[in-house]
Amino acid sequence: MALILAVTRRIIEADTFLRAGRYTGWRLDLLLGTGLQGKTLGIVGYGRIGRAVARRALAFGTTVVASDPGFDGDDEVAAVPFEALLEVADVVSLHCPLNETTRGLMTAASA
């Protein structure tokens, strides 16, 4: 969740900006980033860790979808095919083992 927040809120970019001495004063749109509320998080691999990330994301008001062969969906998280997950997710979080089936899962050729 920390990495997701760091990317969506532009934390690393803001830190670099500040340390480089480029800050000259507050502006409404200065490194604003985006929140997670109303966004969709796609979780690939809905085991113990994927479920823990989903619980945290739901607390931020995020819609969560998951792609996992052993998951049929529940009251809070919809089960979707991998391709559909990539289409609807604003952020994708991977929680699957690296093996021959998952190697290259997120390459341009797989899209």
Side-chain angles (χ1 to χ4, degrees), residues 6-61:
V7 169
T8 58
R9 297 301 297 174
R10 300 173 67 181
I11 293 171
I12 305 303
E13 185 180 353
D15 178 67
T16 302
F17 181 84
L18 183 64
R19 290 176 190 265
R22 295 175 45 208
Y23 178 75
T24 58
W26 183 83
R27 290 191 335 254
L28 181 62
D29 63 344
L30 179 65
L31 296 165
L32 185 59
T34 183
L36 292 177
Q37 187 173 10
K39 303 294 185 201
T40 300
L41 172 66
I43 298 179
V44 179
Y46 201 62
R48 184 177 50 86
I49 296 171
R51 290 174 196 270
V53 171
R55 281 193 307 274
R56 287 158 179 82
L58 289 166
F60 279 93

